[in-house]
Amino acid sequence: MKLALIEDDLILSDTINDILRGENFDIFPFFSFDSAQDFLFENHVDIIILDINLPDGNGFDLAKSLRSLKIGTPILFLTSEKSPQSVALGFESGGDDYLKKPFEPTELVARIKNLIRRSFLPQRSPHIAINDTLFFDPIKECIINVFGEIMALHTKELETLKLLLAKKGKIVTYDEFFTTLWGYGNDPGLDALRAHIKNLRKALPTLEIETIRSLGYRLA
């Protein structure tokens, strides 16, 4: 996930870099209004952390500029400004969240992940929810997590999950698996099917695949 960090305090910028790199974010740091604006007008990022008081401009003005160009990237204002008026202005200028300094690293990470989650789940998305953290994209034929990352699956595991999802809440029998995965009349044996289910559970640990003794499997 790409994150633009606009913060003119070099020490704080380095600290935030360390925190978020530990969460596997790819950070693009900026220390001024102009440099950040030029980059954001020409490049896509997944989230923006934006200070209000910059040496050559105002974070509220930068947010307004982005929104005027229909750039909908989630914006988290990170600032020492604590007045209710500043908070209100932050949201009015197009911000999605507002975190006051000083802050706890865990709260910063939680707020960022929440913004990403919210931006990923609009109804315009064609994704089909598997559970609270996983989605199936029927156009690209892939599984995506709540942060928009594609989850790597082998072909048979993906086909297994698609069958379970198509009958979510219902039992998929062994015969249905064999016909779908290997073709009508082919029976590779239960060990082969169990191996795919095991691999699927390992790759996507939040899946709730129930084993229905002597019958098949069910996606809860």
Side-chain angles (χ1 to χ4, degrees), residues 1-21 25-37 39-40 43-56 59 62 66 73-79 99 101 103 108-109 112:
M1 303 293 284
K2 296 180 180 179
L3 184 150
L5 170 61
I6 302 98
E7 169 60 62
D8 66 325
D9 184 322
L10 300 184
I11 295 176
L12 180 57
S13 179
D14 286 344
T15 300
I16 295 173
N17 258 282
D18 291 341
I19 293 170
L20 298 182
R21 288 191 188 281
F25 285 99
D26 190 8
I27 314 297
F28 295 85
F30 300 93
F31 308 102
S32 67
F33 182 105
D34 285 341
S35 62
Q37 180 173 253
F39 177 85
L40 293 173
N43 299 275
H44 168 77
V45 294
D46 298 291
I47 193 163
I48 299 168
I49 298 180
L50 178 56
D51 191 9
I52 291 176
N53 297 312
L54 298 168
D56 58 344
L62 179 54
L66 293 171
T73 306
I75 296 174
L76 168 63
F77 281 111
L78 184 63
T79 177
L99 182 59
K101 304 172 185 176
F103 57 88
L108 174 63
V109 171
I112 289 172

Side-chain angles (χ1 to χ4, degrees), residues 12 14 40 43 58-60 63 72 76-77 83 104-106 110-111 118 131 152-153 156 163 186 188-189 193 207 216:
L12 180 57
D14 286 344
L40 293 173
N43 299 275
N58 184 288
F60 295 146
L76 168 63
F77 281 111
S83 69
E104 291 294 330
T106 53
R111 286 175 180 264
R118 282 163 47 188
N131 58 25
L153 291 177
K156 280 288 193 289
L163 181 54
N186 292 316
L193 176 58
L207 279 182

